[in-house]
Amino acid sequence: MSLRSALKKSFLLLALTTSPAWAQSAPARFTHFTYDGHAPAGSRAAAGSYVNPILAGYHPDPSIVRVGPDYYLINSSFAHFPGIPVFHSTNLVDWVQIGNAIDRPTQLNMAGRKVSEGVFAPDISYHDGLFYIVNTCVGCGGNFVITARNPAGPWSDPVWLGFDGIDPSIFWDGDKAYIVHNDAPKEAPLYEGHRAIWIQAFDHKALKMTGPRSQIIDGGVDISKKPIWIEGPHMLRRGAFYYLYAAEGGTAENHSEVVFRASAPTGPFQPFAGNPILTQRDLDPARPHPVTSSGHAMMVQTQKGDWWSVFLATRPYSPGLYNIGRETFLLPVSWKDDWPTILDHGKAIPLVARRPDLPVGVKPSLPLLGDFAYVDDFRGRHLSNAWVGLRNPQKPFYRLENGALLLSSAAALGDRNGVPALIARRQQHQNAVVSVNVSFAPRKDGDRAGLVALQNDEAYVFFGVTRLEGKRVVALFTREAGHGETLVASAPLPMGPVRLTFRSQGAHLGFDYAVGGRTRKLGAPMDAALLSTEKAGGFVGTIVGPYTHSQ
């Protein structure tokens, strides 16, 4: 099957399927969506350099594989759909999204899942002409494997592997395969966060686990110090040693990457005396332009023999506060005395660094280098791969028609048992401006259409057209974790299209609307912290896009 034919079987095609429901509802009409992001000072790449992060915004838990001169990278997507974005590069810096591995509603059932459940920490590998992704669907089936001949898709339906824990990863030792993963320790946990790393042989032809399952790491580097949340393991072979490396410390400010080695894949493993091989937890939190929470790394060797690592980290705008999620960074790996190091102790992750010795490559599809502007006039047959929604839909709620995105009412925000009529993109800059035109005639009080900036079902901002006490208005609603929805501001609105503008300016949010060529502000600048991971909870980042719901 050709790539074009494969992509047509995706979620995007499903949404174009006709349904009698369209004749029974009045869809909201959205046109001319724009995203304008601005990079912070110090994030400009000169010749021969690149900018971190290499994938900005919510792109956590990176996994990478090289096949000849080509590199493929995937990320966690949790309960967003389509899921597991797949990127391609020839130089480790410039990435183009070529598909989504979870692009059919039938692949996974995420009904009822919280936004930060679902697809955790996928791992991509390649062997003998076939790509493999192993992954955990938290709350929706457990650990599974999917395969594809072409990494752009189509990917197979899941084959369930039947073991507990999270973060599986395939290690290839010649034609023999193993899966390493996180799980509870063999004995009763000694403290909160006490986890272990396990290994078991994997029959890659039958797609099933085989042989005994063994615990190879208990707790972390030093169990006497009560290390927490050893997870995200990967294994590689170099020379005489097998290296197991994993995240330790939890995916917040104490996050780190640690490494062990052994003479066999089943151990016994010895920790590196110089651990951790990557962390930012010991640096001054008051340093300028801090990068924090680094860990969950995966290494790759280039065709020229150099070693590099991708990993997640965050860029807070205030201490502990970031809205755009955990991002993908890149650094070179150095080897000394047969031990790897990603970054020496006490060094800050650079925002600008020297490029890998690889071809310049193609223009990236994401805002990686400095400022970035994106426009979608909805004139194609399909939305681009970067658009996502919440959970996997079982019936269509949108279509593209004559340069417009038409959204028909579906579940309300906050209804975890349903799929809201939300089509959104990741916010990838702390300073960003998002705009869209909307035409909508609310029939009942509470009917609404506009822009939503969302962290999860209980933490979001709605800005758009609605009806209050029988009158058409432009309104701003917020919902914070642990609270219900609050009306912040509203203003009368005449009939006709409205241009809505959402502004994120670091610690503050602003909202403008334009009717008949005149622009007005709605409400005072808002504290952006309600959309931060610290306040909202979870593992994702803010997504922003068109939404509608009718009573």
PDB file of all heavy atoms in Angstrom, residues 50 52-53 278-280 283 287-295 311-314 329-331 342-344 346-353:
ATOM      1  N   TYR A  50      22.870  24.935  16.338  1.00  0.00           N
ATOM      2  CA  TYR A  50      21.443  24.620  16.383  1.00  0.00           C
ATOM      3  C   TYR A  50      20.875  25.111  17.693  1.00  0.00           C
ATOM      4  O   TYR A  50      21.610  25.452  18.631  1.00  0.00           O
ATOM      5  CB  TYR A  50      21.191  23.111  16.231  1.00  0.00           C
ATOM      6  CG  TYR A  50      21.605  22.280  17.424  1.00  0.00           C
ATOM      7  CD1 TYR A  50      20.684  21.933  18.416  1.00  0.00           C
ATOM      8  CD2 TYR A  50      22.913  21.825  17.571  1.00  0.00           C
ATOM      9  CE1 TYR A  50      21.054  21.170  19.511  1.00  0.00           C
ATOM     10  CE2 TYR A  50      23.289  21.059  18.659  1.00  0.00           C
ATOM     11  CZ  TYR A  50      22.371  20.732  19.629  1.00  0.00           C
ATOM     12  OH  TYR A  50      22.737  19.975  20.723  1.00  0.00           O
ATOM     13  N   ASN A  52      18.324  24.485  20.986  1.00  0.00           N
ATOM     14  CA  ASN A  52      17.533  23.619  21.851  1.00  0.00           C
ATOM     15  C   ASN A  52      16.330  24.391  22.369  1.00  0.00           C
ATOM     16  O   ASN A  52      16.451  25.568  22.692  1.00  0.00           O
ATOM     17  CB  ASN A  52      18.377  23.130  23.037  1.00  0.00           C
ATOM     18  CG  ASN A  52      19.048  21.811  22.765  1.00  0.00           C
ATOM     19  OD1 ASN A  52      18.457  20.910  22.190  1.00  0.00           O
ATOM     20  ND2 ASN A  52      20.301  21.686  23.190  1.00  0.00           N
ATOM     21  N   PRO A  53      15.162  23.737  22.455  1.00  0.00           N
ATOM     22  CA  PRO A  53      14.883  22.343  22.130  1.00  0.00           C
ATOM     23  C   PRO A  53      14.777  22.111  20.622  1.00  0.00           C
ATOM     24  O   PRO A  53      14.427  23.032  19.877  1.00  0.00           O
ATOM     25  CB  PRO A  53      13.546  22.083  22.813  1.00  0.00           C
ATOM     26  CG  PRO A  53      12.869  23.413  22.809  1.00  0.00           C
ATOM     27  CD  PRO A  53      13.954  24.417  23.015  1.00  0.00           C
ATOM     28  N   LEU A 278      23.340  13.016  33.298  1.00  0.00           N
ATOM     29  CA  LEU A 278      22.587  14.197  32.870  1.00  0.00           C
ATOM     30  C   LEU A 278      21.663  14.608  33.993  1.00  0.00           C
ATOM     31  O   LEU A 278      20.893  13.797  34.503  1.00  0.00           O
ATOM     32  CB  LEU A 278      21.756  13.902  31.616  1.00  0.00           C
ATOM     33  CG  LEU A 278      20.751  14.986  31.180  1.00  0.00           C
ATOM     34  CD1 LEU A 278      21.486  16.228  30.691  1.00  0.00           C
ATOM     35  CD2 LEU A 278      19.816  14.459  30.098  1.00  0.00           C
ATOM     36  N   THR A 279      21.736  15.855  34.423  1.00  0.00           N
ATOM     37  CA  THR A 279      20.770  16.437  35.354  1.00  0.00           C
ATOM     38  C   THR A 279      20.992  17.943  35.413  1.00  0.00           C
ATOM     39  O   THR A 279      22.062  18.442  35.050  1.00  0.00           O
ATOM     40  CB  THR A 279      20.870  15.835  36.762  1.00  0.00           C
ATOM     41  OG1 THR A 279      19.725  16.219  37.537  1.00  0.00           O
ATOM     42  CG2 THR A 279      22.128  16.293  37.489  1.00  0.00           C
ATOM     43  N   GLN A 280      19.970  18.671  35.864  1.00  0.00           N
ATOM     44  CA  GLN A 280      20.082  20.112  36.107  1.00  0.00           C
ATOM     45  C   GLN A 280      19.676  20.447  37.539  1.00  0.00           C
ATOM     46  O   GLN A 280      19.569  21.623  37.891  1.00  0.00           O
ATOM     47  CB  GLN A 280      19.199  20.893  35.123  1.00  0.00           C
ATOM     48  CG  GLN A 280      19.559  20.696  33.661  1.00  0.00           C
ATOM     49  CD  GLN A 280      20.809  21.438  33.241  1.00  0.00           C
ATOM     50  OE1 GLN A 280      20.773  22.618  32.886  1.00  0.00           O
ATOM     51  NE2 GLN A 280      21.948  20.757  33.288  1.00  0.00           N
ATOM     52  N   LEU A 283      21.850  22.931  39.859  1.00  0.00           N
ATOM     53  CA  LEU A 283      22.177  24.282  39.414  1.00  0.00           C
ATOM     54  C   LEU A 283      21.346  25.332  40.148  1.00  0.00           C
ATOM     55  O   LEU A 283      20.288  25.031  40.703  1.00  0.00           O
ATOM     56  CB  LEU A 283      21.947  24.409  37.903  1.00  0.00           C
ATOM     57  CG  LEU A 283      23.107  23.980  36.997  1.00  0.00           C
ATOM     58  CD1 LEU A 283      23.448  22.513  37.174  1.00  0.00           C
ATOM     59  CD2 LEU A 283      22.784  24.265  35.537  1.00  0.00           C
ATOM     60  N   ARG A 287      19.259  31.102  37.853  1.00  0.00           N
ATOM     61  CA  ARG A 287      20.074  31.367  36.662  1.00  0.00           C
ATOM     62  C   ARG A 287      19.175  31.864  35.520  1.00  0.00           C
ATOM     63  O   ARG A 287      17.991  31.539  35.461  1.00  0.00           O
ATOM     64  CB  ARG A 287      20.820  30.099  36.229  1.00  0.00           C
ATOM     65  CG  ARG A 287      19.917  28.958  35.787  1.00  0.00           C
ATOM     66  CD  ARG A 287      20.711  27.655  35.656  1.00  0.00           C
ATOM     67  NE  ARG A 287      19.905  26.548  35.145  1.00  0.00           N
ATOM     68  CZ  ARG A 287      19.103  25.795  35.868  1.00  0.00           C
ATOM     69  NH1 ARG A 287      18.970  26.043  37.171  1.00  0.00           N
ATOM     70  NH2 ARG A 287      18.438  24.791  35.315  1.00  0.00           N
ATOM     71  N   PRO A 288      19.722  32.644  34.598  1.00  0.00           N
ATOM     72  CA  PRO A 288      18.894  33.142  33.489  1.00  0.00           C
ATOM     73  C   PRO A 288      18.530  32.026  32.515  1.00  0.00           C
ATOM     74  O   PRO A 288      19.309  31.097  32.287  1.00  0.00           O
ATOM     75  CB  PRO A 288      19.797  34.193  32.828  1.00  0.00           C
ATOM     76  CG  PRO A 288      21.192  33.797  33.202  1.00  0.00           C
ATOM     77  CD  PRO A 288      21.090  33.196  34.575  1.00  0.00           C
ATOM     78  N   HIS A 289      17.347  32.110  31.967  1.00  0.00           N
ATOM     79  CA  HIS A 289      16.843  31.158  30.975  1.00  0.00           C
ATOM     80  C   HIS A 289      17.077  29.704  31.405  1.00  0.00           C
ATOM     81  O   HIS A 289      17.716  28.928  30.691  1.00  0.00           O
ATOM     82  CB  HIS A 289      17.484  31.409  29.616  1.00  0.00           C
ATOM     83  CG  HIS A 289      17.386  32.822  29.146  1.00  0.00           C
ATOM     84  ND1 HIS A 289      16.172  33.464  28.952  1.00  0.00           N
ATOM     85  CD2 HIS A 289      18.358  33.744  28.860  1.00  0.00           C
ATOM     86  CE1 HIS A 289      16.402  34.705  28.539  1.00  0.00           C
ATOM     87  NE2 HIS A 289      17.700  34.895  28.483  1.00  0.00           N
ATOM     88  N   PRO A 290      16.564  29.318  32.567  1.00  0.00           N
ATOM     89  CA  PRO A 290      16.853  27.965  33.051  1.00  0.00           C
ATOM     90  C   PRO A 290      16.181  26.884  32.204  1.00  0.00           C
ATOM     91  O   PRO A 290      15.074  27.064  31.700  1.00  0.00           O
ATOM     92  CB  PRO A 290      16.277  27.975  34.464  1.00  0.00           C
ATOM     93  CG  PRO A 290      15.183  28.994  34.416  1.00  0.00           C
ATOM     94  CD  PRO A 290      15.676  30.057  33.475  1.00  0.00           C
ATOM     95  N   VAL A 291      16.858  25.774  32.044  1.00  0.00           N
ATOM     96  CA  VAL A 291      16.301  24.535  31.512  1.00  0.00           C
ATOM     97  C   VAL A 291      16.325  23.544  32.655  1.00  0.00           C
ATOM     98  O   VAL A 291      17.362  23.351  33.302  1.00  0.00           O
ATOM     99  CB  VAL A 291      17.114  24.012  30.315  1.00  0.00           C
ATOM    100  CG1 VAL A 291      16.563  22.670  29.838  1.00  0.00           C
ATOM    101  CG2 VAL A 291      17.122  25.025  29.184  1.00  0.00           C
ATOM    102  N   THR A 292      15.196  22.908  32.951  1.00  0.00           N
ATOM    103  CA  THR A 292      15.095  22.059  34.135  1.00  0.00           C
ATOM    104  C   THR A 292      14.531  20.691  33.763  1.00  0.00           C
ATOM    105  O   THR A 292      14.125  20.443  32.630  1.00  0.00           O
ATOM    106  CB  THR A 292      14.196  22.706  35.199  1.00  0.00           C
ATOM    107  OG1 THR A 292      12.841  22.713  34.737  1.00  0.00           O
ATOM    108  CG2 THR A 292      14.622  24.133  35.508  1.00  0.00           C
ATOM    109  N   SER A 293      14.503  19.807  34.762  1.00  0.00           N
ATOM    110  CA  SER A 293      13.782  18.531  34.687  1.00  0.00           C
ATOM    111  C   SER A 293      14.324  17.605  33.599  1.00  0.00           C
ATOM    112  O   SER A 293      13.598  16.789  33.047  1.00  0.00           O
ATOM    113  CB  SER A 293      12.277  18.764  34.461  1.00  0.00           C
ATOM    114  OG  SER A 293      11.766  19.691  35.388  1.00  0.00           O
ATOM    115  N   SER A 294      15.607  17.677  33.306  1.00  0.00           N
ATOM    116  CA  SER A 294      16.176  16.905  32.197  1.00  0.00           C
ATOM    117  C   SER A 294      16.329  15.431  32.572  1.00  0.00           C
ATOM    118  O   SER A 294      16.694  15.075  33.683  1.00  0.00           O
ATOM    119  CB  SER A 294      17.534  17.480  31.799  1.00  0.00           C
ATOM    120  OG  SER A 294      18.409  17.493  32.910  1.00  0.00           O
ATOM    121  N   GLY A 295      16.030  14.574  31.590  1.00  0.00           N
ATOM    122  CA  GLY A 295      16.149  13.130  31.772  1.00  0.00           C
ATOM    123  C   GLY A 295      15.400  12.403  30.683  1.00  0.00           C
ATOM    124  O   GLY A 295      15.069  12.966  29.648  1.00  0.00           O
ATOM    125  N   PHE A 311      16.602  13.877  24.751  1.00  0.00           N
ATOM    126  CA  PHE A 311      16.064  13.753  26.107  1.00  0.00           C
ATOM    127  C   PHE A 311      15.015  14.823  26.310  1.00  0.00           C
ATOM    128  O   PHE A 311      14.902  15.762  25.521  1.00  0.00           O
ATOM    129  CB  PHE A 311      17.177  13.881  27.156  1.00  0.00           C
ATOM    130  CG  PHE A 311      17.960  15.170  27.086  1.00  0.00           C
ATOM    131  CD1 PHE A 311      17.584  16.279  27.831  1.00  0.00           C
ATOM    132  CD2 PHE A 311      19.070  15.275  26.265  1.00  0.00           C
ATOM    133  CE1 PHE A 311      18.302  17.476  27.768  1.00  0.00           C
ATOM    134  CE2 PHE A 311      19.802  16.456  26.184  1.00  0.00           C
ATOM    135  CZ  PHE A 311      19.415  17.556  26.934  1.00  0.00           C
ATOM    136  N   LEU A 312      14.242  14.688  27.367  1.00  0.00           N
ATOM    137  CA  LEU A 312      13.239  15.702  27.679  1.00  0.00           C
ATOM    138  C   LEU A 312      13.782  16.688  28.700  1.00  0.00           C
ATOM    139  O   LEU A 312      14.647  16.351  29.520  1.00  0.00           O
ATOM    140  CB  LEU A 312      11.936  15.076  28.161  1.00  0.00           C
ATOM    141  CG  LEU A 312      11.845  14.441  29.549  1.00  0.00           C
ATOM    142  CD1 LEU A 312      11.671  15.478  30.675  1.00  0.00           C
ATOM    143  CD2 LEU A 312      10.697  13.471  29.616  1.00  0.00           C
ATOM    144  N   ALA A 313      13.272  17.899  28.639  1.00  0.00           N
ATOM    145  CA  ALA A 313      13.551  18.933  29.644  1.00  0.00           C
ATOM    146  C   ALA A 313      12.460  19.990  29.515  1.00  0.00           C
ATOM    147  O   ALA A 313      11.631  19.946  28.593  1.00  0.00           O
ATOM    148  CB  ALA A 313      14.937  19.541  29.454  1.00  0.00           C
ATOM    149  N   THR A 314      12.458  20.941  30.448  1.00  0.00           N
ATOM    150  CA  THR A 314      11.438  21.995  30.445  1.00  0.00           C
ATOM    151  C   THR A 314      12.089  23.372  30.529  1.00  0.00           C
ATOM    152  O   THR A 314      13.237  23.508  30.972  1.00  0.00           O
ATOM    153  CB  THR A 314      10.461  21.837  31.627  1.00  0.00           C
ATOM    154  OG1 THR A 314      11.183  22.005  32.855  1.00  0.00           O
ATOM    155  CG2 THR A 314       9.818  20.463  31.613  1.00  0.00           C
ATOM    156  N   PHE A 329      15.159  17.788  23.640  1.00  0.00           N
ATOM    157  CA  PHE A 329      16.463  18.448  23.513  1.00  0.00           C
ATOM    158  C   PHE A 329      17.478  17.470  22.932  1.00  0.00           C
ATOM    159  O   PHE A 329      17.257  16.257  22.904  1.00  0.00           O
ATOM    160  CB  PHE A 329      16.944  18.935  24.881  1.00  0.00           C
ATOM    161  CG  PHE A 329      16.196  20.126  25.421  1.00  0.00           C
ATOM    162  CD1 PHE A 329      14.873  20.004  25.848  1.00  0.00           C
ATOM    163  CD2 PHE A 329      16.807  21.366  25.525  1.00  0.00           C
ATOM    164  CE1 PHE A 329      14.180  21.099  26.353  1.00  0.00           C
ATOM    165  CE2 PHE A 329      16.121  22.464  26.038  1.00  0.00           C
ATOM    166  CZ  PHE A 329      14.808  22.333  26.448  1.00  0.00           C
ATOM    167  N   LEU A 330      18.619  18.014  22.515  1.00  0.00           N
ATOM    168  CA  LEU A 330      19.676  17.226  21.884  1.00  0.00           C
ATOM    169  C   LEU A 330      21.036  17.663  22.396  1.00  0.00           C
ATOM    170  O   LEU A 330      21.316  18.866  22.457  1.00  0.00           O
ATOM    171  CB  LEU A 330      19.622  17.414  20.360  1.00  0.00           C
ATOM    172  CG  LEU A 330      20.742  16.765  19.536  1.00  0.00           C
ATOM    173  CD1 LEU A 330      20.525  15.255  19.464  1.00  0.00           C
ATOM    174  CD2 LEU A 330      20.811  17.361  18.127  1.00  0.00           C
ATOM    175  N   LEU A 331      21.884  16.694  22.770  1.00  0.00           N
ATOM    176  CA  LEU A 331      23.266  16.983  23.147  1.00  0.00           C
ATOM    177  C   LEU A 331      24.168  15.839  22.695  1.00  0.00           C
ATOM    178  O   LEU A 331      23.727  14.684  22.603  1.00  0.00           O
ATOM    179  CB  LEU A 331      23.395  17.160  24.663  1.00  0.00           C
ATOM    180  CG  LEU A 331      22.932  18.490  25.260  1.00  0.00           C
ATOM    181  CD1 LEU A 331      23.082  18.476  26.774  1.00  0.00           C
ATOM    182  CD2 LEU A 331      23.701  19.674  24.666  1.00  0.00           C
ATOM    183  N   ILE A 342      26.388  12.537  29.035  1.00  0.00           N
ATOM    184  CA  ILE A 342      25.651  13.464  28.169  1.00  0.00           C
ATOM    185  C   ILE A 342      26.022  14.908  28.495  1.00  0.00           C
ATOM    186  O   ILE A 342      26.219  15.721  27.597  1.00  0.00           O
ATOM    187  CB  ILE A 342      24.133  13.246  28.311  1.00  0.00           C
ATOM    188  CG1 ILE A 342      23.772  11.810  27.905  1.00  0.00           C
ATOM    189  CG2 ILE A 342      23.354  14.255  27.466  1.00  0.00           C
ATOM    190  CD1 ILE A 342      22.326  11.425  28.179  1.00  0.00           C
ATOM    191  N   LEU A 343      26.149  15.218  29.784  1.00  0.00           N
ATOM    192  CA  LEU A 343      26.502  16.578  30.199  1.00  0.00           C
ATOM    193  C   LEU A 343      27.226  16.499  31.535  1.00  0.00           C
ATOM    194  O   LEU A 343      26.748  15.859  32.470  1.00  0.00           O
ATOM    195  CB  LEU A 343      25.246  17.446  30.333  1.00  0.00           C
ATOM    196  CG  LEU A 343      25.455  18.947  30.537  1.00  0.00           C
ATOM    197  CD1 LEU A 343      26.102  19.568  29.296  1.00  0.00           C
ATOM    198  CD2 LEU A 343      24.135  19.654  30.821  1.00  0.00           C
ATOM    199  N   ASP A 344      28.388  17.155  31.609  1.00  0.00           N
ATOM    200  CA  ASP A 344      29.165  17.139  32.849  1.00  0.00           C
ATOM    201  C   ASP A 344      28.396  17.799  33.986  1.00  0.00           C
ATOM    202  O   ASP A 344      27.606  18.724  33.774  1.00  0.00           O
ATOM    203  CB  ASP A 344      30.498  17.869  32.645  1.00  0.00           C
ATOM    204  CG  ASP A 344      31.441  17.119  31.713  1.00  0.00           C
ATOM    205  OD1 ASP A 344      31.328  15.880  31.632  1.00  0.00           O
ATOM    206  OD2 ASP A 344      32.279  17.784  31.061  1.00  0.00           O
ATOM    207  N   GLY A 346      27.219  20.108  36.847  1.00  0.00           N
ATOM    208  CA  GLY A 346      27.344  21.541  37.070  1.00  0.00           C
ATOM    209  C   GLY A 346      27.192  22.393  35.830  1.00  0.00           C
ATOM    210  O   GLY A 346      27.187  23.623  35.935  1.00  0.00           O
ATOM    211  N   LYS A 347      27.056  21.779  34.652  1.00  0.00           N
ATOM    212  CA  LYS A 347      26.888  22.552  33.421  1.00  0.00           C
ATOM    213  C   LYS A 347      25.415  22.709  33.077  1.00  0.00           C
ATOM    214  O   LYS A 347      24.630  21.779  33.258  1.00  0.00           O
ATOM    215  CB  LYS A 347      27.625  21.882  32.258  1.00  0.00           C
ATOM    216  CG  LYS A 347      29.148  21.996  32.333  1.00  0.00           C
ATOM    217  CD  LYS A 347      29.791  21.509  31.044  1.00  0.00           C
ATOM    218  CE  LYS A 347      31.294  21.728  31.077  1.00  0.00           C
ATOM    219  NZ  LYS A 347      31.942  21.271  29.811  1.00  0.00           N
ATOM    220  N   ALA A 348      25.074  23.880  32.565  1.00  0.00           N
ATOM    221  CA  ALA A 348      23.699  24.138  32.132  1.00  0.00           C
ATOM    222  C   ALA A 348      23.500  23.637  30.705  1.00  0.00           C
ATOM    223  O   ALA A 348      24.409  23.697  29.877  1.00  0.00           O
ATOM    224  CB  ALA A 348      23.400  25.634  32.211  1.00  0.00           C
ATOM    225  N   ILE A 349      22.318  23.134  30.440  1.00  0.00           N
ATOM    226  CA  ILE A 349      21.978  22.711  29.080  1.00  0.00           C
ATOM    227  C   ILE A 349      22.004  23.938  28.172  1.00  0.00           C
ATOM    228  O   ILE A 349      21.312  24.922  28.426  1.00  0.00           O
ATOM    229  CB  ILE A 349      20.593  22.049  29.049  1.00  0.00           C
ATOM    230  CG1 ILE A 349      20.634  20.723  29.817  1.00  0.00           C
ATOM    231  CG2 ILE A 349      20.130  21.821  27.609  1.00  0.00           C
ATOM    232  CD1 ILE A 349      19.275  20.108  30.054  1.00  0.00           C
ATOM    233  N   PRO A 350      22.805  23.914  27.119  1.00  0.00           N
ATOM    234  CA  PRO A 350      22.894  25.096  26.244  1.00  0.00           C
ATOM    235  C   PRO A 350      21.666  25.231  25.358  1.00  0.00           C
ATOM    236  O   PRO A 350      21.129  24.242  24.855  1.00  0.00           O
ATOM    237  CB  PRO A 350      24.141  24.809  25.408  1.00  0.00           C
ATOM    238  CG  PRO A 350      24.225  23.314  25.348  1.00  0.00           C
ATOM    239  CD  PRO A 350      23.707  22.823  26.679  1.00  0.00           C
ATOM    240  N   LEU A 351      21.219  26.467  25.165  1.00  0.00           N
ATOM    241  CA  LEU A 351      20.137  26.737  24.228  1.00  0.00           C
ATOM    242  C   LEU A 351      20.647  26.767  22.794  1.00  0.00           C
ATOM    243  O   LEU A 351      19.876  26.549  21.856  1.00  0.00           O
ATOM    244  CB  LEU A 351      19.448  28.051  24.583  1.00  0.00           C
ATOM    245  CG  LEU A 351      18.670  28.077  25.898  1.00  0.00           C
ATOM    246  CD1 LEU A 351      18.087  29.456  26.147  1.00  0.00           C
ATOM    247  CD2 LEU A 351      17.582  27.027  25.908  1.00  0.00           C
ATOM    248  N   VAL A 352      21.920  27.047  22.619  1.00  0.00           N
ATOM    249  CA  VAL A 352      22.559  27.028  21.305  1.00  0.00           C
ATOM    250  C   VAL A 352      23.827  26.200  21.404  1.00  0.00           C
ATOM    251  O   VAL A 352      24.620  26.379  22.329  1.00  0.00           O
ATOM    252  CB  VAL A 352      22.884  28.453  20.814  1.00  0.00           C
ATOM    253  CG1 VAL A 352      23.573  28.398  19.451  1.00  0.00           C
ATOM    254  CG2 VAL A 352      21.627  29.301  20.742  1.00  0.00           C
ATOM    255  N   ALA A 353      24.017  25.268  20.462  1.00  0.00           N
ATOM    256  CA  ALA A 353      25.180  24.385  20.490  1.00  0.00           C
ATOM    257  C   ALA A 353      25.629  24.079  19.063  1.00  0.00           C
ATOM    258  O   ALA A 353      24.916  24.365  18.090  1.00  0.00           O
ATOM    259  CB  ALA A 353      24.852  23.097  21.244  1.00  0.00           C
TER     260      ALA A 353
END
